[in-house]
Amino acid sequence: GQNIDQPTEMTATEGAIVQINCTYQTSGFNGLFWYQQHAGEAPTFLSYNVLDGLEEKGRFSSFLSRSKGYSYLLLKELQMKDSASYLCAVRDYNYGQNFVFGPGTRLSVLP
Amino acid sequence: DSGVTQTPKHLITATGQRVTLRCSPRSGDLSVYWYQQSLDQGLQFLIQYYNGEERAKGNILERFSAQQFPDLHSELNLSSLELGDSALYFCASSVDSGATPNYGYTFGSGTRLTVV
């Protein structure tokens, strides 16, 4: 089966940097995705990693270590609008190539 | 606007009733996925259709069913509704069947179902 773990909640200050961790266990790993979801809205795609290393996309970066079953999402220069839930999702060969989503991390950015 | 259209946006119905949720995928996308998101749970995969055929099944109850029509829109049917079925139901679409790893999903804005 699959198991994905993320911290439930995090708080950070505007302008700061925050790292959201995700650990996963899956037998058919085929990529790790990060999505942002504002309350009551649809998740929106942020980043994707399939190989080890860091992918940078503006203020957002995502890191993957497949041997450790570990990823993180790094958000720099935090803005109030970054307050949202951040969902880690693993794509799994054994799950019809579909995504298994983690429980999400609710980030609150304070002034 | 993501290009994935879900209707209705809100639905309130009584226990025991049946409802149909509709999803039109983004133009050019062949796959449609249905997810359920309850307050106390994350996004739970229900079912995937690719070009009219069922491709993968997740944690979908027997009371729920779905189909994808020739014009690629999809409907999720929920019957014998219970209070616990109250949730946000998201539809997502992608251009591939899932074989290409670097395509993510595009989500619709969801249907909020409240069972009273």
Coordinates of all heavy atoms in Angstrom, one line a residue, chain A residues 8 11 13 22 33-35 46 53 63 65 69 71 75 77 79 87-88 95-96 102 105:
Chain A
T8 N 0.8 18.5 10.1 CA -0.6 19.0 9.9 C -0.6 20.5 9.7 O -1.4 21.0 8.9 CB -1.4 18.6 11.2 OG1 -1.3 17.2 11.4 CG2 -2.9 19.0 11.0
T11 N 3.3 27.4 10.9 CA 3.1 28.9 11.0 C 4.4 29.6 10.6 O 5.5 29.1 11.1 CB 2.6 29.4 12.3 OG1 1.4 28.6 12.7 CG2 2.3 30.8 12.4
T13 N 6.3 33.6 9.3 CA 6.1 35.1 9.2 C 6.3 35.6 7.8 O 7.2 35.0 7.1 CB 7.1 35.8 10.2 OG1 7.0 35.3 11.5 CG2 6.9 37.3 10.2
C22 N 7.7 16.0 3.5 CA 6.8 15.0 3.1 C 7.6 13.7 3.1 O 8.7 13.6 2.4 CB 6.2 15.3 1.8 SG 5.2 13.9 1.0
F33 N 4.6 15.1 -6.6 CA 4.0 16.4 -7.0 C 3.6 17.2 -5.7 O 3.3 16.6 -4.7 CB 2.7 16.2 -7.8 CG 3.0 15.6 -9.2 CD1 3.4 14.3 -9.3 CD2 2.8 16.3 -10.3 CE1 3.6 13.7 -10.6 CE2 3.0 15.8 -11.6 CZ 3.4 14.5 -11.7
W34 N 3.7 18.5 -5.8 CA 3.2 19.4 -4.8 C 2.1 20.2 -5.4 O 2.2 20.8 -6.5 CB 4.3 20.3 -4.2 CG 5.3 19.6 -3.3 CD1 6.5 19.0 -3.6 CD2 5.1 19.4 -1.9 NE1 7.1 18.4 -2.5 CE2 6.3 18.7 -1.4 CE3 4.2 19.7 -1.0 CZ2 6.5 18.3 -0.1 CZ3 4.3 19.4 0.4 CH2 5.5 18.7 0.8
Y35 N 1.0 20.3 -4.6 CA -0.1 21.1 -4.9 C -0.4 22.1 -3.8 O -0.2 21.8 -2.6 CB -1.4 20.3 -5.2 CG -1.4 19.6 -6.5 CD1 -0.7 18.4 -6.7 CD2 -2.1 20.1 -7.6 CE1 -0.8 17.7 -7.9 CE2 -2.2 19.4 -8.8 CZ -1.5 18.2 -8.9 OH -1.5 17.6 -10.1
L46 N 2.0 22.9 -8.3 CA 3.1 23.7 -7.9 C 4.4 23.2 -8.6 O 5.2 24.0 -9.2 CB 3.3 23.8 -6.4 CG 2.4 24.7 -5.6 CD1 2.7 24.6 -4.1 CD2 2.4 26.1 -6.1
G53 N 17.0 15.4 -6.3 CA 17.6 16.7 -6.4 C 16.6 17.8 -6.2 O 15.4 17.6 -5.8
F63 N 12.4 19.4 -3.4 CA 13.5 18.5 -3.3 C 13.0 17.1 -3.2 O 12.0 16.9 -2.5 CB 14.4 18.9 -2.1 CG 15.5 17.9 -1.9 CD1 16.7 17.9 -2.6 CD2 15.3 16.9 -0.9 CE1 17.7 17.0 -2.3 CE2 16.3 15.9 -0.7 CZ 17.5 16.0 -1.4
S65 N 14.4 12.9 -2.5 CA 15.4 11.9 -2.3 C 14.6 10.6 -2.3 O 13.9 10.2 -1.4 CB 16.1 12.0 -0.9 OG 16.8 10.8 -0.6
G69 N 12.8 8.2 0.6 CA 11.4 8.4 0.5 C 11.0 9.8 1.1 O 10.0 9.9 1.9
S71 N 10.7 14.2 0.5 CA 10.6 15.4 -0.3 C 10.4 16.6 0.6 O 9.8 16.4 1.7 CB 9.5 15.3 -1.3 OG 9.3 16.5 -2.0
L75 N 9.4 27.4 0.5 CA 8.8 28.6 0.0 C 9.6 29.8 0.6 O 9.8 29.9 1.8 CB 7.3 28.7 0.6 CG 6.3 27.7 0.0 CD1 6.4 26.4 0.7 CD2 4.9 28.3 0.2
E77 N 10.5 34.1 0.7 CA 9.9 35.4 0.7 C 8.4 35.3 0.9 O 7.6 35.8 0.0 CB 10.2 36.1 -0.6 CG 11.7 36.3 -0.8 CD 12.0 36.8 -2.3 OE1 11.1 37.2 -3.0 OE2 13.2 36.7 -2.7
Q79 N 4.6 35.4 1.4 CA 3.6 36.4 1.3 C 2.3 35.9 2.0 O 2.1 34.7 2.2 CB 3.3 36.8 -0.1 CG 4.6 37.2 -0.9 CD 4.3 37.4 -2.4 OE1 3.2 37.3 -2.9 NE2 5.4 37.6 -3.1
L87 N -0.3 20.2 -0.5 CA -0.5 18.7 -0.6 C 0.7 18.1 -1.3 O 1.0 18.5 -2.4 CB -1.8 18.5 -1.4 CG -3.0 19.2 -1.0 CD1 -4.2 18.9 -1.9 CD2 -3.4 19.0 0.5
C88 N 1.2 17.0 -0.7 CA 2.2 16.2 -1.3 C 1.5 15.0 -1.9 O 0.6 14.4 -1.3 CB 3.2 15.7 -0.2 SG 4.4 14.5 -0.6
Y95 N -1.0 1.9 -8.8 CA -2.2 2.5 -8.5 C -2.8 3.1 -9.7 O -3.5 4.1 -9.7 CB -2.0 3.5 -7.4 CG -3.2 3.9 -6.5 CD1 -4.0 2.9 -6.0 CD2 -3.5 5.2 -6.3 CE1 -5.1 3.2 -5.2 CE2 -4.6 5.5 -5.5 CZ -5.4 4.5 -5.0 OH -6.5 4.9 -4.2
G96 N -2.6 2.4 -10.9 CA -3.1 2.9 -12.1 C -2.5 4.2 -12.5 O -3.1 5.0 -13.3
G102 N -1.2 13.1 0.2 CA -1.0 13.2 1.6 C -2.1 14.0 2.3 O -2.9 14.6 1.6
T105 N -0.6 20.0 4.5 CA 0.0 20.8 5.6 C -0.7 22.2 5.5 O -0.5 22.9 4.4 CB 1.5 21.0 5.5 OG1 2.1 19.7 5.6 CG2 2.0 21.9 6.6

